[in-house]
mmCIF file with all atom_site columns, all heavy atoms in Angstrom:
data_model
loop_
_atom_site.group_PDB
_atom_site.id
_atom_site.type_symbol
_atom_site.label_atom_id
_atom_site.label_alt_id
_atom_site.label_comp_id
_atom_site.label_asym_id
_atom_site.label_entity_id
_atom_site.label_seq_id
_atom_site.pdbx_PDB_ins_code
_atom_site.Cartn_x
_atom_site.Cartn_y
_atom_site.Cartn_z
_atom_site.occupancy
_atom_site.B_iso_or_equiv
_atom_site.pdbx_formal_charge
_atom_site.auth_seq_id
_atom_site.auth_comp_id
_atom_site.auth_asym_id
_atom_site.auth_atom_id
_atom_site.pdbx_PDB_model_num
ATOM 1   N N   . ASP U 1 49 ? 73.153 142.644 1.910  1.00 0.00 ? 96  ASP U N   1
ATOM 2   C CA  . ASP U 1 49 ? 73.134 141.423 2.738  1.00 0.00 ? 96  ASP U CA  1
ATOM 3   C C   . ASP U 1 49 ? 72.241 141.609 3.956  1.00 0.00 ? 96  ASP U C   1
ATOM 4   O O   . ASP U 1 49 ? 71.532 140.702 4.374  1.00 0.00 ? 96  ASP U O   1
ATOM 5   C CB  . ASP U 1 49 ? 74.555 141.053 3.187  1.00 0.00 ? 96  ASP U CB  1
ATOM 6   C CG  . ASP U 1 49 ? 75.412 140.586 2.019  1.00 0.00 ? 96  ASP U CG  1
ATOM 7   O OD1 . ASP U 1 49 ? 74.838 140.276 0.967  1.00 0.00 ? 96  ASP U OD1 1
ATOM 8   O OD2 . ASP U 1 49 ? 76.656 140.561 2.161  1.00 0.00 ? 96  ASP U OD2 1
ATOM 9   N N   . TYR U 1 50 ? 72.313 142.818 4.519  1.00 0.00 ? 97  TYR U N   1
ATOM 10  C CA  . TYR U 1 50 ? 71.517 143.130 5.704  1.00 0.00 ? 97  TYR U CA  1
ATOM 11  C C   . TYR U 1 50 ? 70.023 143.001 5.381  1.00 0.00 ? 97  TYR U C   1
ATOM 12  O O   . TYR U 1 50 ? 69.251 142.432 6.161  1.00 0.00 ? 97  TYR U O   1
ATOM 13  C CB  . TYR U 1 50 ? 71.851 144.560 6.159  1.00 0.00 ? 97  TYR U CB  1
ATOM 14  C CG  . TYR U 1 50 ? 71.241 144.951 7.471  1.00 0.00 ? 97  TYR U CG  1
ATOM 15  C CD1 . TYR U 1 50 ? 71.704 144.416 8.671  1.00 0.00 ? 97  TYR U CD1 1
ATOM 16  C CD2 . TYR U 1 50 ? 70.190 145.872 7.520  1.00 0.00 ? 97  TYR U CD2 1
ATOM 17  C CE1 . TYR U 1 50 ? 71.135 144.787 9.888  1.00 0.00 ? 97  TYR U CE1 1
ATOM 18  C CE2 . TYR U 1 50 ? 69.622 146.242 8.724  1.00 0.00 ? 97  TYR U CE2 1
ATOM 19  C CZ  . TYR U 1 50 ? 70.105 145.696 9.908  1.00 0.00 ? 97  TYR U CZ  1
ATOM 20  O OH  . TYR U 1 50 ? 69.545 146.051 11.094 1.00 0.00 ? 97  TYR U OH  1
ATOM 21  N N   . ALA U 1 51 ? 69.646 143.518 4.211  1.00 0.00 ? 98  ALA U N   1
ATOM 22  C CA  . ALA U 1 51 ? 68.230 143.428 3.800  1.00 0.00 ? 98  ALA U CA  1
ATOM 23  C C   . ALA U 1 51 ? 67.875 141.993 3.417  1.00 0.00 ? 98  ALA U C   1
ATOM 24  O O   . ALA U 1 51 ? 66.780 141.517 3.716  1.00 0.00 ? 98  ALA U O   1
ATOM 25  C CB  . ALA U 1 51 ? 67.977 144.375 2.635  1.00 0.00 ? 98  ALA U CB  1
ATOM 26  N N   . ALA U 1 52 ? 68.830 141.290 2.762  1.00 0.00 ? 99  ALA U N   1
ATOM 27  C CA  . ALA U 1 52 ? 68.568 139.911 2.335  1.00 0.00 ? 99  ALA U CA  1
ATOM 28  C C   . ALA U 1 52 ? 68.351 138.987 3.542  1.00 0.00 ? 99  ALA U C   1
ATOM 29  O O   . ALA U 1 52 ? 67.649 137.986 3.449  1.00 0.00 ? 99  ALA U O   1
ATOM 30  C CB  . ALA U 1 52 ? 69.726 139.399 1.489  1.00 0.00 ? 99  ALA U CB  1
ATOM 31  N N   . GLN U 1 53 ? 68.944 139.364 4.687  1.00 0.00 ? 100 GLN U N   1
ATOM 32  C CA  . GLN U 1 53 ? 68.746 138.568 5.908  1.00 0.00 ? 100 GLN U CA  1
ATOM 33  C C   . GLN U 1 53 ? 67.388 138.848 6.555  1.00 0.00 ? 100 GLN U C   1
ATOM 34  O O   . GLN U 1 53 ? 67.062 138.301 7.606  1.00 0.00 ? 100 GLN U O   1
ATOM 35  C CB  . GLN U 1 53 ? 69.860 138.880 6.916  1.00 0.00 ? 100 GLN U CB  1
ATOM 36  C CG  . GLN U 1 53 ? 71.192 138.220 6.577  1.00 0.00 ? 100 GLN U CG  1
ATOM 37  C CD  . GLN U 1 53 ? 72.360 138.935 7.230  1.00 0.00 ? 100 GLN U CD  1
ATOM 38  O OE1 . GLN U 1 53 ? 72.182 139.781 8.108  1.00 0.00 ? 100 GLN U OE1 1
ATOM 39  N NE2 . GLN U 1 53 ? 73.564 138.605 6.796  1.00 0.00 ? 100 GLN U NE2 1
ATOM 40  N N   . GLY U 1 54 ? 66.632 139.760 5.950  1.00 0.00 ? 101 GLY U N   1
ATOM 41  C CA  . GLY U 1 54 ? 65.280 140.050 6.438  1.00 0.00 ? 101 GLY U CA  1
ATOM 42  C C   . GLY U 1 54 ? 65.222 141.141 7.492  1.00 0.00 ? 101 GLY U C   1
ATOM 43  O O   . GLY U 1 54 ? 64.190 141.320 8.146  1.00 0.00 ? 101 GLY U O   1
ATOM 44  N N   . ASN U 1 55 ? 66.306 141.884 7.654  1.00 0.00 ? 102 ASN U N   1
ATOM 45  C CA  . ASN U 1 55 ? 66.302 142.932 8.685  1.00 0.00 ? 102 ASN U CA  1
ATOM 46  C C   . ASN U 1 55 ? 65.523 144.180 8.266  1.00 0.00 ? 102 ASN U C   1
ATOM 47  O O   . ASN U 1 55 ? 65.060 144.947 9.108  1.00 0.00 ? 102 ASN U O   1
ATOM 48  C CB  . ASN U 1 55 ? 67.739 143.332 9.025  1.00 0.00 ? 102 ASN U CB  1
ATOM 49  C CG  . ASN U 1 55 ? 68.496 142.189 9.655  1.00 0.00 ? 102 ASN U CG  1
ATOM 50  O OD1 . ASN U 1 55 ? 68.043 141.623 10.660 1.00 0.00 ? 102 ASN U OD1 1
ATOM 51  N ND2 . ASN U 1 55 ? 69.620 141.810 9.070  1.00 0.00 ? 102 ASN U ND2 1
ATOM 52  N N   . ILE U 1 56 ? 65.444 144.379 6.953  1.00 0.00 ? 103 ILE U N   1
ATOM 53  C CA  . ILE U 1 56 ? 64.699 145.541 6.435  1.00 0.00 ? 103 ILE U CA  1
ATOM 54  C C   . ILE U 1 56 ? 64.210 145.174 5.031  1.00 0.00 ? 103 ILE U C   1
ATOM 55  O O   . ILE U 1 56 ? 64.880 144.408 4.326  1.00 0.00 ? 103 ILE U O   1
ATOM 56  C CB  . ILE U 1 56 ? 65.595 146.809 6.413  1.00 0.00 ? 103 ILE U CB  1
ATOM 57  C CG1 . ILE U 1 56 ? 64.797 148.043 6.013  1.00 0.00 ? 103 ILE U CG1 1
ATOM 58  C CG2 . ILE U 1 56 ? 66.790 146.644 5.492  1.00 0.00 ? 103 ILE U CG2 1
ATOM 59  C CD1 . ILE U 1 56 ? 65.555 149.359 6.167  1.00 0.00 ? 103 ILE U CD1 1
ATOM 60  N N   . ALA U 1 57 ? 63.034 145.709 4.649  1.00 0.00 ? 104 ALA U N   1
ATOM 61  C CA  . ALA U 1 57 ? 62.500 145.377 3.314  1.00 0.00 ? 104 ALA U CA  1
ATOM 62  C C   . ALA U 1 57 ? 63.274 146.127 2.241  1.00 0.00 ? 104 ALA U C   1
ATOM 63  O O   . ALA U 1 57 ? 63.747 147.243 2.478  1.00 0.00 ? 104 ALA U O   1
ATOM 64  C CB  . ALA U 1 57 ? 61.023 145.770 3.254  1.00 0.00 ? 104 ALA U CB  1
ATOM 65  N N   . PHE U 1 58 ? 63.392 145.491 1.061  1.00 0.00 ? 105 PHE U N   1
ATOM 66  C CA  . PHE U 1 58 ? 64.137 146.128 -0.028 1.00 0.00 ? 105 PHE U CA  1
ATOM 67  C C   . PHE U 1 58 ? 63.453 147.410 -0.526 1.00 0.00 ? 105 PHE U C   1
ATOM 68  O O   . PHE U 1 58 ? 64.093 148.251 -1.134 1.00 0.00 ? 105 PHE U O   1
ATOM 69  C CB  . PHE U 1 58 ? 64.303 145.160 -1.202 1.00 0.00 ? 105 PHE U CB  1
ATOM 70  C CG  . PHE U 1 58 ? 65.382 144.141 -0.968 1.00 0.00 ? 105 PHE U CG  1
ATOM 71  C CD1 . PHE U 1 58 ? 65.072 142.813 -0.722 1.00 0.00 ? 105 PHE U CD1 1
ATOM 72  C CD2 . PHE U 1 58 ? 66.720 144.516 -0.982 1.00 0.00 ? 105 PHE U CD2 1
ATOM 73  C CE1 . PHE U 1 58 ? 66.078 141.868 -0.507 1.00 0.00 ? 105 PHE U CE1 1
ATOM 74  C CE2 . PHE U 1 58 ? 67.726 143.581 -0.768 1.00 0.00 ? 105 PHE U CE2 1
ATOM 75  C CZ  . PHE U 1 58 ? 67.406 142.259 -0.528 1.00 0.00 ? 105 PHE U CZ  1
ATOM 76  N N   . ASP U 1 59 ? 62.128 147.506 -0.268 1.00 0.00 ? 106 ASP U N   1
ATOM 77  C CA  . ASP U 1 59 ? 61.448 148.720 -0.744 1.00 0.00 ? 106 ASP U CA  1
ATOM 78  C C   . ASP U 1 59 ? 61.191 149.718 0.389  1.00 0.00 ? 106 ASP U C   1
ATOM 79  O O   . ASP U 1 59 ? 60.453 150.689 0.213  1.00 0.00 ? 106 ASP U O   1
ATOM 80  C CB  . ASP U 1 59 ? 60.129 148.350 -1.453 1.00 0.00 ? 106 ASP U CB  1
ATOM 81  C CG  . ASP U 1 59 ? 59.208 147.529 -0.558 1.00 0.00 ? 106 ASP U CG  1
ATOM 82  O OD1 . ASP U 1 59 ? 59.646 147.186 0.566  1.00 0.00 ? 106 ASP U OD1 1
ATOM 83  O OD2 . ASP U 1 59 ? 58.073 147.243 -0.984 1.00 0.00 ? 106 ASP U OD2 1
ATOM 84  N N   . HIS U 1 60 ? 61.815 149.477 1.541  1.00 0.00 ? 107 HIS U N   1
ATOM 85  C CA  . HIS U 1 60 ? 61.658 150.441 2.639  1.00 0.00 ? 107 HIS U CA  1
ATOM 86  C C   . HIS U 1 60 ? 62.376 151.734 2.255  1.00 0.00 ? 107 HIS U C   1
ATOM 87  O O   . HIS U 1 60 ? 63.493 151.703 1.728  1.00 0.00 ? 107 HIS U O   1
ATOM 88  C CB  . HIS U 1 60 ? 62.256 149.863 3.933  1.00 0.00 ? 107 HIS U CB  1
ATOM 89  C CG  . HIS U 1 60 ? 61.883 150.670 5.144  1.00 0.00 ? 107 HIS U CG  1
ATOM 90  N ND1 . HIS U 1 60 ? 62.510 151.861 5.452  1.00 0.00 ? 107 HIS U ND1 1
ATOM 91  C CD2 . HIS U 1 60 ? 60.946 150.476 6.102  1.00 0.00 ? 107 HIS U CD2 1
ATOM 92  C CE1 . HIS U 1 60 ? 61.978 152.361 6.555  1.00 0.00 ? 107 HIS U CE1 1
ATOM 93  N NE2 . HIS U 1 60 ? 61.023 151.532 6.974  1.00 0.00 ? 107 HIS U NE2 1
ATOM 94  N N   . PRO U 1 61 ? 61.742 152.907 2.510  1.00 0.00 ? 108 PRO U N   1
ATOM 95  C CA  . PRO U 1 61 ? 62.374 154.188 2.126  1.00 0.00 ? 108 PRO U CA  1
ATOM 96  C C   . PRO U 1 61 ? 63.798 154.360 2.685  1.00 0.00 ? 108 PRO U C   1
ATOM 97  O O   . PRO U 1 61 ? 64.651 154.935 2.012  1.00 0.00 ? 108 PRO U O   1
ATOM 98  C CB  . PRO U 1 61 ? 61.438 155.242 2.709  1.00 0.00 ? 108 PRO U CB  1
ATOM 99  C CG  . PRO U 1 61 ? 60.151 154.561 2.899  1.00 0.00 ? 108 PRO U CG  1
ATOM 100 C CD  . PRO U 1 61 ? 60.417 153.110 3.114  1.00 0.00 ? 108 PRO U CD  1
ATOM 101 N N   . ALA U 1 62 ? 64.047 153.838 3.888  1.00 0.00 ? 109 ALA U N   1
ATOM 102 C CA  . ALA U 1 62 ? 65.391 153.990 4.475  1.00 0.00 ? 109 ALA U CA  1
ATOM 103 C C   . ALA U 1 62 ? 66.411 153.216 3.635  1.00 0.00 ? 109 ALA U C   1
ATOM 104 O O   . ALA U 1 62 ? 67.517 153.701 3.370  1.00 0.00 ? 109 ALA U O   1
ATOM 105 C CB  . ALA U 1 62 ? 65.400 153.490 5.913  1.00 0.00 ? 109 ALA U CB  1
#
Side-chain angles (χ1 to χ4, degrees):
Chain U
D96 291 344
Y97 188 72
Q100 284 158 12
N102 295 305
I103 186 171
F105 282 108
D106 56 355
H107 192 282

